[in-house]
Amino acid sequence: GDREQTYLSPKWVRDVKEQIGGLPLVKTMHGAGTGPYPGHARGLCWEDIAWLCSRSPLPIFLKGVLSPEDAATCCDPGIGLAGVFVSNHGGRQLDGCEATADVLGEICEAVAGRLPVFVDGGLRRGKDVFRALALG
């Protein structure tokens, strides 16, 4: 389906709001810009993630983790995450972001088995899978 239309659908937003008991306030910083659609903000803080985890009946995984510091914060039981995805959202090709393979080992060390760690992207061949497994 068309996810963009689904996520922007007022009915979808109402359904989610009813299921999890509300939605967090949209936070923007003056001069930081807004997200790609009206009502969306680019800013998200750890408190927002903890709020979502506390209200969702589903496990929440955080995608886009690229730093060991963020990975360690993800393990805080007060946040309530179910796991992390090491991902640059294709950024290595778009804006010079680190490759997932370059940071995977450090992130696995920071997580130290406290949460499942998944890698998203950069795996094209069988040897890439073996490299990712060797990195943690």
Side-chain angles (χ1 to χ4, degrees):
D2 185 350
R3 287 186 292 183
E4 179 179 313
Q5 289 304 313
T6 300
Y7 297 145
L8 295 176
S9 160
K11 180 183 179 332
W12 182 85
V13 172
R14 278 193 307 274
D15 290 347
V16 169
K17 186 177 177 181
E18 288 172 11
Q19 290 173 12
I20 63 175
L23 295 173
L25 295 174
V26 174
K27 298 178 184 178
T28 59
M29 294 172 30
H30 179 69
T34 60
Y37 307 105
H40 288 204
R42 293 179 195 254
L44 187 66
C45 66
W46 293 110
E47 290 80 15
D48 295 331
I49 295 168
W51 179 90
L52 181 62
C53 291
S54 73
R55 287 179 173 64
S56 175
L58 301 172
I60 303 293
F61 294 79
L62 189 63
K63 180 180 176 188
V65 177
L66 287 174
S67 78
E69 295 80 15
D70 285 346
T73 303
C74 288
C75 297
D76 179 343
I79 293 176
L81 287 168
V84 298
F85 276 84
V86 179
S87 174
N88 62 15
H89 309 291
R92 187 170 54 90
Q93 288 81 22
L94 299 175
D95 63 5
C97 190
E98 297 97 337
T100 54
D102 292 340
V103 297
L104 181 59
E106 293 177 70
I107 289 175
C108 288
E109 285 178 21
V111 170
R114 294 176 285 172
L115 290 176
V117 176
F118 300 91
V119 63
D120 174 27
L123 305 177
R124 290 175 175 56
R125 296 175 183 83
K127 68 180 181 179
D128 298 326
V129 173
F130 289 116
R131 286 178 184 155
L133 289 171
L135 291 167

